[in-house]
Each structure stands twice: as structure tokens, then as C-alpha cells.
Amino acid sequence: MFTCRIFPTVDPNITVHPIFHSSKIDEESLIEGYFCSKKKVLFLYSYNIYDTNTLAMFDKHEDTLFEKGFLHFFSNLRDTSTRHLLFLFLVSHICVVTNASSSFDLNYIQLFKTLDSVRAKLQGSVAEVLKTVPGLPKDWLTLGRLCSPRVLFYFEQRPLVLDENLKSLQHLMEDQIYRLLRKCRVITNVCTNSLFAIPSNQEFVFFKPRQQDRFTFLLELLNDTFEIGNECPSDFREFLSQHITLAQTEGFSDNVGRHVGPSIFVLPPARVWFDAAFKLFDFFTNSPTNGLKGFQLLRSILDVEGQFSETRCLKVLPLALAAYQENLPSHYSSQYHENKKTQAKALLSSHGRGPAVQKFLGRLDTECDRFWRNGRRMCEFPSIIGNPCIQPVHRVHAEENSDSKLPVLPHMSGVRYVSACSCGRRQANREDPYDVEYANYGFYRLIEEECCGRLRHVTFPIFKPSSDHFEPANLKGASKSMHFTRDVEKLIAGTEDLSLGPDENEFPAMSVDHLSQVAADDHEESQTSLGKGEATEAIDEDNIMEIAGTHELPAVSTKDFSTTEYLPCMLHVNSPSGILPRYSSWSLVCLGSSSLYSHNAGLSDQPGFLAGSGFLLPWDIPVRLQHNESNGLDGRRAHNLGYSGKGKRVKQGQHEFTVKIFIGVEYECPRGHRFMSSSPGKILKATGAGLVKDSAQLITQNDVPIYLPCPCPYNRGGKALIAQLMRLHVVTPKAAVHVTIDPKVRPAPPPCPEFVTGFTEPIQLSPSSYWILRFPYVYEDENQIYTHPKENARAAQHGYLLKGTCGVMEFANE
């Protein structure tokens, strides 16, 4: 379709300005213009989706068609093209409608009715746009357009009739079109109320005399109309010129009836028209579809398939939401939320139809997210092990800078493990830890109240504040290469002496000598039974452990340590000096006399051990005592030296003998299964009669893995649980030597540091006693928390208890 615009006066500078030059115009729908200053006529040609040539260009949009579908893409193009057509009806005096055949296309009727309905809805908005144009005629502002444009119909194909009958056929087509338009109320008696008008006493139908393509037709039309390169008269030029001449002289008055008023016909100056046309074109091109009611109406009329799709999806949307909300718990995780959304989306996709499905899938996603976030979200804060918190979204502390409406609750994953206490005699359910203090200290303090709280404990070096105001030390500037020196070790060792009880406020402190002697006087005869009946063995000179001198813990004042800052992690070899942790992650407890352990019965009072694994390994150590001549031996010392751990009497004054010690490295899995290790990476298996053939030699002289796959009889999915080294059992002999322990643990591959207890020298264990060292449940340095590995296959190579943990030292002189 092309239109004619007539100007009364023209500024000569107008012709050199670009017309409708905008980068926002779609190439599938645009308006081309040609201005003739001689005739004072502007021709506008609408190139849109209603042309067959435009449809042939869809192959350039394969990606868009595949992503959004043909209906969605075509509806958008129809919307843009129809807006451009409405724009032409508002700024033109004459509109020429082309028909591709020799018959009238009835689809134009629906198009005309759509344009008229949208024009009525947008009349107020168009008037607001026109108010911004300076010098605009008042009639144009009132009507919202120049006039009720006169429409002419051009048929590109000539009917099969003789030339002398063509004029008659033309008049018959005019009558037919007029009756159709009147019957459909596209035109009325008052042309101001209609989209366009049809002349009552002039021809408005023209048949092309011969077959031509559209481009040639338009070119010849311009040549004929404006006498460019062609002096021959043209029937169409005469047909169009009569309407142009009438518009330039008198204007159009196409009202029908006796009592109708005059028609409004405006011929504005060219500059005013261009200013108004540009603003109206921008209004029709850039206004959103869901903005004004007129554009919403246009979309609903043109996009019938889309409306059906919207209606269908709108009906299915509540069903999909109901499917999402079905059988929901009070609060749930994000993974469960996504799974339910997937089910709801599948329901919507299966029952929804058309291009609106994608739009409603987005709405469904938003509605489900809103429903989940409205009080049904799970906290999901990961525990140290990695399990999410199953509580509703909450605050842990009341003073947190978060939503004050959230409740104050502790983190809880709902996962429970079975763990034994420090002495191993009692098992209890352990909550999945969310902080290192509960994992390594708080849980054992709670369970100790009912079990091993009254046993003898060793108190490890911890922070002692001098006031109520203290804070964690800032370790950002701490040197990672700093190691314990001998002086620093002595300072740490002097912080606290060995004491009874887990807390110095509950039990009185005891000296090192007292702790060493308190068990030596009990059940003296019981230790002599260890090793009786065994054959005498020759002592290998190469394996004799020489013990020279004695050892005492130094007494250093606690003023050398900070009383206002504490170490926010566990002690390790790279920790800065002068800072101690608030609590100890280690535990060393004495169960009592060594007679509590029977090598034939095994660990009968320790629950949870797998069958055949509850035994300690014997460790026979040949030792040689070296004394200064001035250090004489009293009767008691000579008696102890004169009795061998093998039950062999030696000559008086001989200082070589064998010490028998029982050692066990205990592993514990999350289900409470416990077992001993016979060698690094292997599980202890005693015979049915309780005979242990292995020795502790490989355990004491090699690095021991921290983690091993647990041989649980039942594992979910066939995946073995990972057991962790949790205790070191030591049964000391009744001899003139101290068994010492100095554990160093590297729970992960380098650069993970080596974690230590805080004592600078090995801890001396009293003779003829049963001691248990409990290791930390998790390990933490300044950078991270170290837990068990995720892969069972490489668990044994993940971390180690370094060799040199156990040793022997001479009994202190009295």
C-alpha cells in the first residue's frame, strides 16, 4: 500500500533531509518515501509483512524461528506492520490499497476494522503527542489526523474481459466494495467517524491494463504522474490526478446524508507535517505492547493463536502450581525445590499449547520461587562434614545483622553419628558438628559427665584470660614458615602442669611426680603376670634403646603468654608464639591400673569393636640404662632393674632389660564401629581363641594413616564408610621407665601443617597404667578445616599420624 500526502507550501530545504531514517526500523516492516517538490506531493510506500516478498525473507531468521517459534515471531511482525499502516492512515490524505489479483481481498475488511478499533483507543494518546508539535493546526489536533483519508483500490491483475467492458466491470467492482464496506460498517455516513472514506461521485477502483511486477508498476506510476521521462498519457495518472487536484483545491467532503456537518480537511505546512510525522512514527514504533490499551487491543486481535495459547496456559498454570505444592514439607531444601519445579514445569509443558508456554514457564518459575521463599526455605548452611542444615532459615545469634523476623535457632543437619567418649567406655549419638569447638571439645565434655569425668586427665595448654575482654588473634600477618623453637616449646610447656579432671575448677591440680607415682603403688603384683610363661629370648644389641638421664617438665610462668588474645584455631608447628587456644582438642585420660587390660580377653569393656579387633598389640623394647657413677640405685630401683619384662632374672648391676608395652591405634566410623590396626593400613584380626600374632613394631616405627575404609557389614549403596583414627591405647609396664607419647598429626596432604598437643616435650605416662589418648575429631588451622576425604580409595593416603609418637624414658630419681 502507498499513500499520497499533499502540501500547500514547501520549504526547499525539506527535499535534502533524510526521510524516516531510523536504525530502530525492522527491515521486514518499513516505510519508504519520495517527495516531489514540483507537484507538492509526498508518496509513502509501506513495505510490510502483508507482502508476499517479505515472507520470502524468513530464511534469514532461522535461529529466532527455532528458538521462539513461527507464531511468536510472525505475531510480532504483524503487530509492527499494522502499527505502520495505522500511522499512514493518520498522516495521509489519499491511501491506495493494492490487490494482487483481479478480485477484492476480503481479508482487508478485518484489517480495516482492526485499524479503526485501535485508532479509537489511541486517539487520546495521539492527541497528547501532537500537542508537542509547534504550529500544529487546531483541527488536526482535534481530529488526531489530517482528514478521513480517501481510499483507492488498485488491482494488479486485469480480469478476462474485453477492453470496452473494462469500465463497466470497474463500476461494478466499486458498487460491490462499497456495499461490503457499508455492510461491515467500515465506512459510515459521517466520514469523521470512520477509518477512511470512499468518494461518492468519483472513481476509486482501477484495473492495471497489463501484467507488471510491483516495482515496475511503482516506477511507471511515478514517471506517469510526474511526467519523468515519459510524455505519453496514462490512464492511472488521470485516475490519481483527479483526486490529488481535488485535495489541493477544495479538499475532500465525503460525508453522505442530509444532516451531516462539513468534513475536516487540513493542509499543514511541510515542516509542521514532518515534525508531527516523526513524533507519531516514534510513538507507534517504540510504544510497548503491554502499555496502552490500544496496543493491547491490537495484539489481542492480530494474535489469535497467541490468545488461545495464553488462555490455555492460564488455565493450566494453577494446576502446575498445585502439583508443585502437593505434599510439601513445612520447609525444604533448594534441591527439593528444584525437583518439584521440574515436575510442575513438565505438567505445564505437556498440557500447555502455543507460543505462550515459554512465558508461562517463566511465571511458574517465579511463583514457585516466591512460594518457597515465603517461609519455606531451609537454612542449608553446611556443617563441617558438609551436610546442610534442615532448620528453617534462621539466625544463629540474636545480634546478627540480618532479618530481625527470623527466629534464633542453632544449626542442625539432622545427621547423627555414633561416637565413644574420651575413654571409649561409653557410646552416644553425636550431632553433626557445625563448629570445631563442639566437635573436639563440647561433645566430649557432655558425655564425660556420665562416664570418664572422674578419671585422671591431663590438662593441655590453653588460653587463660586476665579479664572479661579478650578477642581472637589476627593471624593474617602470621608467618607460615615459623616453627617451634626450643625456647618457645619450653614456654608452652610451662603454662600448665598435669592435673586431675577436665577442668581445674572441678578437680585440684596435681604435680607431674604425683601423677607418675599414683598408679605405681596400685596392684604391684598384677604387672608381674604380664609375660609369664613366655620363653626367654636373647636380646638383640642393635635394637637396644639406650636411656640416658632423666626428664622433668620445666616450670615457666604463664606471663609469657597473651592473656587478651587467643588462638582461633588448633595448635600446629607453624602457629605463632605466645598464643594458645581457648580449649584443647586433645584428651589424655588414665583408666587405672594396667591390670584392666587382659591380653587374652581383649577390650571387654569397650563397646562397638568389630569381632576379633578389640585387642592391643604387644611391643617388646630392649633398653639399656646409663647412669653416672654418683647416681646410686636404692633397693627398689635395683629390684625393678633386676626383673625383665620377659620374666628373666638378670645379674645384679646389669642395666639391660626388655620392656613389654601394649599399644593399640583405634579407628572409629560414623556408625560407631571401632577396630584396631595391626599395621599401617591393615585391620587387626585375632584368632577365635583371642590370639594376636602381630606386634606393634610396625605401628610405632611408621606413619599411621588417619583414615581407613571401615569394614562395616552393611553399607548403603555398597560404598564403605571412612573410619578415623580417634584413640591411642597405651598399657605401660611396671618398670623403672616412663612410656612417653608425642603425637604429631598431618590430616591432609601438604601444605597441611602438623598439628601438635602444645607440650614441648613428650608426655610421660605413669607406669603400670592404662592410658588413652583421644585425637581431635576435626583439625583446623588459620585457613581451613580438615575433615575426612571424599574418596574411599585414597583415604589411607590422605593423612598420617607421624612416626615417633611413642617412646621410653628412664624413671625419675627420688
Side-chain angles (χ1 to χ4, degrees):
M1 183 182 77
F2 71 92
T3 63
C4 300
R5 166 70 186 92
I6 297 95
F7 300 106
T9 59
V10 179
D11 187 343
N13 294 327
I14 291 293
T15 58
V16 298
H17 295 164
I19 300 175
F20 300 108
H21 182 70
S22 174
S23 59
K24 296 183 180 180
I25 300 178
D26 268 332
E27 60 179 2
E28 284 78 16
S29 180
L30 55 87
I31 298 175
E32 297 175 342
Y34 176 81
F35 179 73
C36 179
S37 58
K38 180 180 178 181
K39 296 291 184 178
K40 300 180 182 179
V41 177
L42 173 65
F43 280 82
L44 301 177
Y45 174 65
S46 176
Y47 185 79
N48 54 46
I49 199 63
Y50 296 104
D51 295 330
T52 306
N53 295 335
T54 306
L55 294 176
M57 301 175 61
F58 273 19
D59 58 341
K60 298 188 303 182
H61 304 279
E62 291 184 5
D63 296 338
T64 305
L65 291 173
F66 179 78
E67 178 182 356
K68 297 184 178 181
F70 174 79
L71 289 178
H72 179 82
F73 181 70
F74 185 67
S75 298
N76 291 336
L77 291 182
R78 286 184 66 188
D79 181 79
T80 304
S81 299
T82 308
R83 291 188 185 197
H84 289 172
L85 291 180
L86 181 58
F87 163 77
L88 291 179
F89 275 97
L90 296 182
V91 298
S92 303
H93 294 99
I94 300 174
C95 295
V96 179
V97 179
T98 62
N99 288 265
S101 64
S102 60
S103 60
F104 179 70
D105 188 357
L106 296 179
N107 291 322
Y108 277 123
I109 296 179
Q110 181 61 37
L111 178 60
F112 293 153
K113 295 176 68 174
T114 299
L115 292 175
D116 193 28
S117 300
V118 176
R119 181 189 65 84
K121 289 286 185 180
L122 294 177
Q123 187 168 358
S125 300
V126 171
E128 293 295 328
V129 175
L130 294 176
K131 287 181 180 179
T132 61
V133 179
L136 190 78
K138 185 178 180 181
D139 289 342
W140 190 0
L141 181 62
T142 302
L143 188 61
R145 51 183 176 169
L146 297 174
C147 64
S148 181
R150 178 173 286 187
V151 172
L152 309 178
F153 296 94
Y154 179 87
F155 293 88
E156 297 182 9
Q157 291 186 5
R158 177 178 173 175
L160 300 177
V161 296
L162 298 176
D163 292 341
E164 57 269 18
N165 297 331
L166 184 61
K167 184 64 69 175
S168 300
L169 181 62
Q170 178 176 323
H171 292 163
L172 291 176
M173 181 65 72
E174 290 178 354
D175 295 339
Q176 183 181 13
I177 292 176
Y178 181 80
R179 287 194 299 268
L180 282 173
L181 297 180
R182 289 284 295 185
K183 187 70 174 179
C184 297
R185 301 189 63 82
V186 176
I187 58 176
T188 60
N189 291 340
V190 181
C191 61
T192 305
N193 300 331
S194 304
L195 176 66
F196 58 85
I198 289 179
S200 58
N201 53 4
Q202 286 182 291
E203 295 179 347
F204 60 89
V205 171
F206 182 84
F207 287 99
K208 186 171 65 172
R210 63 182 181 275
Q211 188 70 21
Q212 291 176 324
D213 57 46
R214 185 170 300 181
F215 177 77
T216 305
F217 157 70
L218 292 176
L219 182 60
E220 291 186 1
L221 172 65
L222 294 176
N223 292 338
D224 293 344
T225 305
F226 304 110
E227 300 175 1
I228 303 175
N230 187 2
E231 300 298 333
C232 300
S234 172
D235 294 338
F236 186 76
R237 183 184 67 179
E238 296 177 357
F239 169 77
L240 187 59
S241 296
Q242 58 178 333
H243 298 282
I244 295 176
T245 303
L246 180 62
Q248 290 177 333
T249 55
E250 300 178 4
F252 300 142
S253 179
D254 296 326
N255 291 332
V256 179
R258 298 179 180 180
H259 306 289
V260 293
S263 300
I264 297 178
F265 190 89
V266 181
L267 286 176
R271 185 172 296 278
V272 175
W273 183 92
F274 276 109
D275 191 6
F278 276 118
K279 291 186 177 181
L280 286 176
F281 184 79
D282 182 71
F283 168 74
F284 280 101
T285 303
N286 299 325
S287 296
T289 302
N290 56 353
L292 299 175
K293 293 183 178 180
F295 293 121
Q296 295 179 9
L297 175 63
L298 175 62
R299 186 73 177 190
S300 64
I301 295 175
L302 295 178
D303 191 12
V304 179
E305 298 86 355
Q307 290 299 309
F308 166 76
S309 179
E310 291 264 352
T311 305
R312 178 63 181 173
C313 292
L314 194 62
K315 183 179 180 180
V316 178
L317 181 62
L319 300 179
L321 286 173
Y324 170 82
Q325 299 173 8
E326 184 179 5
N327 298 327
L328 284 179
S330 59
H331 51 278
Y332 45 94
S333 64
S334 57
Q335 181 179 0
Y336 188 81
H337 165 66
E338 292 297 330
N339 292 338
K340 294 290 289 185
K341 275 204 308 184
T342 302
Q343 297 176 13
K345 288 181 178 180
L347 177 64
L348 179 60
S349 299
S350 61
H351 293 279
R353 296 293 183 272
V357 172
Q358 294 299 324
K359 172 184 174 182
F360 277 83
L361 284 176
R363 286 182 56 181
L364 176 62
D365 189 83
T366 303
E367 291 295 330
C368 292
D369 288 342
R370 182 183 298 111
F371 184 82
W372 177 56
R373 296 179 184 279
N374 190 18
R376 291 182 176 267
R377 288 178 57 197
M378 189 179 289
C379 175
E380 297 189 84
F381 188 83
S383 66
I384 295 178
I385 308 301
N387 300 311
C389 175
I390 62 173
Q391 299 270 43
V393 175
H394 61 92
R395 296 175 295 162
V396 179
H397 305 289
E399 61 273 10
E400 285 186 6
N401 295 327
S402 59
D403 190 355
S404 60
K405 297 181 180 180
L406 295 178
V408 179
L409 298 171
H411 288 304
M412 183 179 68
S413 68
V415 179
R416 291 188 177 184
Y417 307 113
V418 179
S419 293
C421 62
S422 295
C423 69
R425 291 177 172 175
R426 180 183 176 87
Q427 286 183 312
N429 290 329
R430 170 201 289 270
E431 297 288 344
D432 193 16
Y434 274 84
D435 60 85
V436 178
E437 182 177 0
Y438 171 78
N440 292 344
Y441 180 74
F443 168 75
Y444 297 101
R445 280 296 304 273
L446 293 175
I447 197 173
E448 278 180 1
E449 296 178 358
E450 301 179 2
C451 181
C452 47
R454 297 188 177 276
L455 297 178
R456 290 181 290 275
H457 290 257
V458 172
T459 303
F460 291 82
I462 58 173
F463 167 73
K464 290 185 176 181
S466 59
S467 65
D468 295 335
H469 303 285
F470 53 90
E471 59 184 9
N474 186 1
L475 302 181
K476 291 183 179 180
S479 174
K480 304 300 292 182
S481 61
M482 185 182 299
H483 292 269
F484 279 176
T485 62
R486 195 67 176 175
D487 296 336
V488 174
E489 292 177 351
K490 290 182 179 181
L491 291 176
I492 296 179
T495 56
E496 294 189 13
D497 295 331
L498 299 178
S499 64
L500 287 177
D503 195 303
E504 61 177 359
N505 296 327
E506 296 184 13
F507 301 98
M510 300 184 66
S511 65
V512 177
D513 291 339
H514 182 81
L515 180 61
S516 302
Q517 296 294 335
V518 69
D521 297 334
D522 298 336
H523 307 283
E524 292 186 4
E525 70 281 4
S526 63
Q527 182 62 26
T528 60
S529 63
L530 293 176
K532 286 185 178 181
E534 298 180 6
T536 304
E537 298 179 1
I539 300 177
D540 188 355
E541 293 290 337
D542 296 335
N543 294 329
I544 294 178
M545 181 179 294
E546 296 186 357
I547 302 178
T550 61
H551 170 74
E552 294 181 359
L553 289 177
V556 183
S557 174
T558 57
K559 66 181 181 180
D560 298 311
F561 302 91
S562 174
T563 58
T564 58
E565 291 184 336
Y566 62 87
L567 189 66
C569 60
M570 293 174 56
L571 276 171
H572 54 82
V573 294
N574 297 334
S575 296
S577 61
I579 303 177
L580 295 174
R582 293 184 60 187
Y583 57 90
S584 176
S585 298
W586 307 75
S587 174
L588 180 60
V589 59
C590 179
L591 301 186
S593 171
S594 59
S595 62
L596 294 176
Y597 175 71
S598 171
H599 193 47
N600 295 326
L603 303 173
S604 58
D605 60 342
Q606 298 275 339
F609 274 92
L610 300 179
S613 182
F615 293 88
L616 304 183
L617 298 177
W619 185 28
D620 295 333
I621 305 178
V623 297
R624 176 186 292 123
L625 294 179
Q626 294 181 358
H627 295 280
N628 295 330
E629 295 181 357
S630 60
N631 292 339
L633 298 176
D634 56 10
R636 180 179 178 182
R637 176 64 56 84
H639 175 73
N640 288 337
L641 291 177
Y643 184 78
S644 169
K646 294 290 184 178
K648 173 185 175 182
R649 291 284 180 177
V650 295
K651 295 181 180 180
Q652 186 70 21
Q654 184 175 348
H655 304 300
E656 296 179 358
F657 64 101
T658 300
V659 175
K660 180 181 285 291
I661 305 170
F662 288 92
I663 292 179
V665 285
E666 176 196 330
Y667 291 83
E668 187 177 34
C669 83
R671 293 185 181 179
H673 300 140
R674 303 163 68 185
F675 59 88
M676 295 291 182
S677 177
S678 59
S679 62
K682 294 185 178 181
I683 301 173
L684 176 63
K685 282 290 185 180
T687 63
L691 179 61
V692 178
K693 299 180 180 180
D694 301 291
S695 172
Q697 194 78 13
L698 296 177
I699 294 293
T700 58
Q701 295 183 0
N702 294 280
D703 295 341
V704 178
I706 295 294
Y707 306 101
L708 287 178
C710 180
C712 297
Y714 302 103
N715 289 310
R716 297 177 182 176
K719 185 177 181 180
L721 297 176
I722 296 179
Q724 178 179 345
L725 175 62
M726 287 303 301
R727 291 168 193 83
L728 173 66
H729 297 247
V730 180
V731 177
T732 61
K734 184 180 179 182
V737 293
H738 282 297
V739 178
T740 62
I741 55 174
D742 186 20
K744 292 182 177 63
V745 178
R746 189 177 65 237
C752 174
E754 299 174 8
F755 291 88
V756 295
T757 61
F759 290 109
T760 59
E761 297 182 5
I763 303 173
Q764 302 177 14
L765 305 181
S766 60
S768 186
S769 304
Y770 189 163
W771 290 88
I772 295 181
L773 173 68
R774 177 186 56 79
F775 293 89
Y777 189 74
V778 293
Y779 298 84
E780 179 188 26
D781 64 5
E782 297 88 346
N783 301 317
Q784 68 179 95
I785 297 176
Y786 301 93
T787 60
H788 61 75
K790 303 302 181 183
E791 298 181 4
N792 294 350
R794 301 186 58 84
Q797 293 81 32
H798 193 74
Y800 294 94
L801 170 65
L802 304 183
K803 62 182 179 181
T805 298
C806 296
V808 177
M809 185 172 291
E810 181 186 1
F811 197 83
N813 289 329
E814 298 180 359

